[in-house]
Amino acid sequence: MEHEHSEEELKNIAKQLSCPEGEHGIKTGEMMHASNIGMTTSAIDALNLKNNETVLEIGHGNGGHIAQLFSRAENINYFGADISATIIAEAEKNNQVFLAQGNVQFKLTDGNSLPFHNHQFDKIFTVNTIYFWKNPCGYLAEIKRTLKLNGTLVICFANKTFMQNLPFTPYVFKLYEVEEVKELLKNGGFTVENILSKTEQIKSKTGEQVQREYHVVTANTL
């Protein structure tokens, strides 16, 4: 029989997913990496990486996918930004070789601003973080500021219909339809270049196979 979570437990799950902390946070990071890898790969595909580009990932999780990103092009400079010190420590542990080579850096951020220079990045991507943006317009302005002119932003997120069936999303999460994300980007000075919608089979927390629909939105700065 499936364990019914109390409201308090569901709030804690939502909190851990938005900002994994401590021992539990490490396990959450591992679980998130496993369940997100299909979405992450789709986002990396959409980046269409070229040699010598500088890339920022917002909400990099435990960084288990960074080697995959480096295999796509030569001499990539990767920056990761996350709001969880626990997760950054895990990502550093999982990417010691790249850190030693000097082409990976992780930064702790506040989720509202990005501690990077104007026009620093060729490309920025983020997977399953948009639900936690406290001020979406302000955050998008920060993303635009740090992107080069004609830079690319890839946002990957799960379909609202799928997400609202999860018991913990009433807390902390703000769910989006594709049209809302398009509108947000347009108002933020981006041109939406492509929207890819995909369906994948994933294992739910209770162990059964479920279908998740997700969207990969590619946009360019004007």
Side-chain angles (χ1 to χ4, degrees):
M1 169 122 175
E2 186 192 331
H3 167 62
E4 284 294 317
H5 291 287
S6 69
E7 186 174 354
E8 202 51 48
E9 284 175 313
L10 291 172
K11 279 182 182 166
N12 280 332
I13 291 169
K15 190 164 171 284
Q16 278 290 345
L17 290 170
S18 68
C19 183
E21 286 174 334
E23 202 54 48
H24 186 187
I26 293 169
K27 289 191 174 58
T28 301
E30 287 166 2
M31 180 271 293
M32 281 161 67
H33 170 71
S35 69
N36 287 348
I37 196 63
M39 293 178 73
T40 303
T41 300
S42 293
I44 292 170
D45 287 345
L47 284 174
N48 193 16
L49 289 168
K50 304 278 191 290
N51 295 348
N52 309 311
E53 287 186 326
T54 302
V55 180
L56 170 66
E57 180 177 11
I58 296 169
H60 50 74
N62 73 5
H65 57 283
I66 292 171
Q68 180 194 358
L69 184 142
F70 279 129
S71 73
R72 300 300 180 91
E74 288 173 24
N75 198 31
I76 295 290
N77 273 314
Y78 171 96
F79 288 77
D82 209 284
I83 61 170
S84 162
T86 298
I87 280 297
I88 287 179
E90 280 301 286
E92 286 177 341
K93 207 160 75 181
N94 290 337
N95 290 281
Q96 285 170 358
V97 174
F98 298 129
L99 283 165
Q101 288 168 357
N103 49 356
V104 163
Q105 284 183 48
F106 298 105
K107 289 246 179 151
L108 186 65
T109 58
D110 60 6
N112 296 309
S113 59
L114 293 169
F116 302 108
H117 301 303
N118 291 353
H119 311 309
Q120 186 170 342
F121 303 107
D122 296 288
K123 289 168 180 174
I124 296 179
F125 75 110
T126 189
V127 177
N128 283 331
T129 70
I130 192 171
Y131 332 113
F132 309 121
W133 295 3
K134 293 182 186 74
N135 173 5
C137 296
Y139 205 44
L140 214 46
E142 273 291 273
I143 289 170
K144 187 166 189 240
R145 176 186 67 76
T146 60
L147 264 176
K148 291 179 184 175
L149 300 174
N150 293 320
T152 298
L153 168 64
V154 172
I155 298 178
C156 189
F157 62 102
N159 194 351
K160 186 174 187 172
T161 316
F162 170 81
M163 293 294 283
Q164 62 197 11
N165 289 330
L166 302 174
F168 45 79
T169 52
Y171 315 100
V172 184
F173 287 70
K174 174 172 171 25
L175 307 182
Y176 288 88
E177 302 278 6
V178 176
E179 287 306 315
E180 291 173 296
V181 173
K182 270 173 74 175
E183 194 65 21
L184 192 63
L185 286 162
K186 207 174 94 184
N187 293 340
F190 287 84
T191 313
V192 175
E193 295 293 329
N194 192 38
I195 297 172
L196 192 62
S197 297
K198 291 188 165 192
T199 305
E200 63 178 356
Q201 291 280 335
I202 56 162
K203 195 178 267 195
S204 76
K205 294 214 169 37
T206 51
E208 71 261 351
Q209 289 290 316
V210 290
Q211 275 210 335
R212 168 165 66 187
E213 187 186 357
Y214 66 89
H215 311 287
V216 187
V217 180
T218 306
N220 288 344
T221 49
L222 297 175

